[in-house]
């Protein structure tokens, strides 16, 4: 269970605060600059928290360490976030909100099942490869508080899961895909992209190969798409078309 902020920790210092809640009406002189600085400060805190949460987990993370890494005092951190729980959720949502938007855009677009599936897998792979801490955050989430997992799954994962299952079943009906179980196929698709990056620290220790090296990422991406075509498509050599 994550520790809640104490009353003492929530008290703000007298130093000027950078944030939209402290600047008043938007028509005041300089309010746009203050809002921009506030957004930048919040983003800096999120970036520092993301790294620390990925490295030691939410239970091991300390708000003092996050504030120090972000270059702010702890009072300013609590100005933007109620506590460590709130900060951890904000870090997760900074990724999940964007991925849900982009993923549903692909899955609900027009085109054959083959084309949309490869677009989705490409999006998923590229999204993870651009966010080196994301795989570890997702892994730690699975062992977090059950209520947090339930909230994240229902709000972010479930809509994507349902659309992806529908797409696979559509591909089976249209005979673009082999006869497969849609749920187990989703598990396999996720594993093809996620495991490569989640296991990157272990792989580097064993082989000295950097999974996030640009050439290695490009190679892995090609291999994943090829694996899907030859493992799932009835005619892997057929030209793709909408």
């Amino acid at each position: 269970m994550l520790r809640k902020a104490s009353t003492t920790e929530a008290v703000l210092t007298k130093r000027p605060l950078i944030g939209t809640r402290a600047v008043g009406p938007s028509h005041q002189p300089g309010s746009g600059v203050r809002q921009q600085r506030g957004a930048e400060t919040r983003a800096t805190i999120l970036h520092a928290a993301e790294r620390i949460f990925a490295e030691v987990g939410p239970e091991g993370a300390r708000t003092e360490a996050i504030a120090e890494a972000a270059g702010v005092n702890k009072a300013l951190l609590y100005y933007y976030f109620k506590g460590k729980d709130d900060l951890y959720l904000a870090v997760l949502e900074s990724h999940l909100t964007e991925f849900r938007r982009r993923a549903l855009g692909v899955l609900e677009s027009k085109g054959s099942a083959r084309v949309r599936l490869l677009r989705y897998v490409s999006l998923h792979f590229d999204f993870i490869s651009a966010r080196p801490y994301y795989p570890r955050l997702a892994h730690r989430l699975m062992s977090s508080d059950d209520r947090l997992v339930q909230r994240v799954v229902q709000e972010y994962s479930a809509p994507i899961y349902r659309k992806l299952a529908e797409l696979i079943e559509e591909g089976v009906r249209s005979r673009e895909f082999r006869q497969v179980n849609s749920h187990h196929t989703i598990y396999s698709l996720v594993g093809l992209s996620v495991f490569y990056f989640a296991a990157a620290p272990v792989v580097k220790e064993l082989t000295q190969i950097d999974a996030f090296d640009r050439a290695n990422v490009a190679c892995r991406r090609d291999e994943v798409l090829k694996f899907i075509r030859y493992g799932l498509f009835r005619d892997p050599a057929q030209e793709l078309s909408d």
Side-chain angles (χ1 to χ4, degrees):
M1 191 69 180
L2 302 182
R3 181 177 62 79
K4 293 183 179 179
S6 66
T7 303
T8 302
E9 290 172 325
V11 174
L12 302 179
T13 63
K14 293 183 179 180
R15 62 180 289 184
L17 296 178
I18 305 171
T20 57
R21 286 184 291 181
V23 299
S26 60
H27 66 270
Q28 290 186 357
S31 62
V33 174
R34 286 193 291 271
Q35 289 176 5
Q36 181 178 351
R37 290 174 60 195
E40 291 171 353
T41 300
R42 187 178 187 277
T44 299
I45 295 171
L46 283 174
H47 182 72
E50 177 183 7
R51 176 180 61 80
I52 293 174
F53 282 138
E55 291 175 349
V56 302
E59 293 80 10
R62 294 168 55 248
T63 52
E64 294 87 348
I66 295 172
E68 182 179 355
V72 302
N73 63 29
K74 193 164 65 172
L76 188 56
L77 184 149
Y78 280 107
Y79 173 74
Y80 289 101
F81 305 97
K82 297 177 182 178
K84 193 163 64 170
D85 285 5
D86 186 46
L87 179 54
Y88 181 52
L89 182 60
V91 168
L92 293 173
E93 289 183 329
S94 68
H95 296 293
L96 297 172
T97 301
E98 176 66 11
F99 182 69
R100 180 185 59 188
R101 181 187 68 80
R102 294 168 62 180
L104 291 179
V106 169
L107 294 172
E108 295 173 350
S109 65
K110 296 181 179 180
S112 66
R114 291 157 49 98
V115 167
R116 281 181 288 151
L117 183 66
L118 290 182
R119 284 177 182 165
Y120 170 79
V121 173
S122 297
L123 167 65
H124 191 203
F125 187 91
D126 293 343
F127 189 89
I128 297 173
S129 67
R131 295 162 173 79
Y133 295 120
Y134 179 72
R136 280 186 281 174
L137 285 170
H139 177 75
R140 290 188 181 279
L141 174 64
M142 296 302 103
S143 59
S144 297
D145 183 270
D146 289 343
R147 290 171 298 177
L148 178 59
V149 174
Q150 184 179 18
R151 173 178 174 177
V152 169
V153 166
Q154 291 302 318
E155 187 169 350
Y156 297 101
S157 302
I160 298 173
Y161 190 98
R162 287 192 294 267
K163 289 293 182 180
L164 190 52
E166 291 172 5
L167 175 59
I168 293 170
E169 290 160 7
E170 175 189 329
V172 171
R173 289 194 303 271
S174 65
R175 298 186 62 79
E176 295 176 71
F177 301 161
R178 295 187 298 104
Q179 190 71 36
V180 294
N181 180 292
S182 59
H183 302 290
H184 283 281
T185 301
I186 291 175
Y187 309 150
S188 298
L189 293 176
V190 171
L192 282 172
S193 294
V194 173
F195 180 78
Y196 174 77
F197 295 105
V202 176
V203 171
K204 189 170 185 178
E205 184 67 26
L206 291 174
T207 65
Q208 306 305 309
I209 294 175
D210 180 5
F212 286 92
D213 175 80
R214 182 175 299 180
N216 291 334
V217 168
C219 180
R220 176 62 184 175
R221 189 181 192 276
D222 289 344
E223 289 297 322
V224 166
L225 297 178
K226 187 188 302 181
F227 191 91
I228 292 170
R229 290 184 67 149
Y230 283 86
L232 180 61
F233 295 179
R234 283 184 177 273
D235 185 0
Q238 180 182 348
E239 290 294 325
L240 296 175
S241 62
D242 294 340

